Amino acid sequence: MSETSSAPTESTRSGRTSPMTFYRQVVAELRKVVWPTRSQVANYFVVVLFFVLVMMAFVAGLDYGFGKLMFWVFA
């Protein structure tokens, strides 16, 4: 077995980056992001909205069906 453990050592805990370095790294990473265009965002919005409405209708139909079934069984 290995004698090293997976717990962080004192040297890794004290090697923190400064807030300014962290901020610069975040900005550098955000510059690498490929942002969607306005038409892509609108298209994704319509697709997600349609999917959510379909799933709402499906769950509402199941709720209605199971409710009718329970009233039929226990009435």
Side-chain angles (χ1 to χ4, degrees), residues 48-59:
V48 168
L49 184 65
F50 177 74
F51 178 76
V52 168
L53 291 174
V54 167
M55 292 307 295
M56 284 175 52
F58 177 70
V59 170

Side-chain angles (χ1 to χ4, degrees), residues 6-24:
S6 62
T9 61
E10 191 65 35
S11 64
T12 57
R13 272 191 249 156
S14 64
R16 299 179 71 154
T17 60
S18 69
M20 277 308 296
T21 304
F22 175 76
Y23 176 74
R24 278 190 225 111

Side-chain angles (χ1 to χ4, degrees), residues 11-69:
S11 64
T12 57
R13 272 191 249 156
S14 64
R16 299 179 71 154
T17 60
S18 69
M20 277 308 296
T21 304
F22 175 76
Y23 176 74
R24 278 190 225 111
Q25 289 174 347
V26 167
V27 170
E29 288 298 320
L30 285 175
R31 285 190 178 133
K32 295 178 187 177
V33 173
V34 178
W35 297 98
T37 63
R38 183 177 294 268
S39 64
Q40 287 174 327
V41 172
N43 189 26
Y44 297 155
F45 173 77
V46 170
V47 168
V48 168
L49 184 65
F50 177 74
F51 178 76
V52 168
L53 291 174
V54 167
M55 292 307 295
M56 284 175 52
F58 177 70
V59 170
L62 286 176
D63 182 48
Y64 180 77
F66 284 128
K68 286 290 187 182
L69 179 67

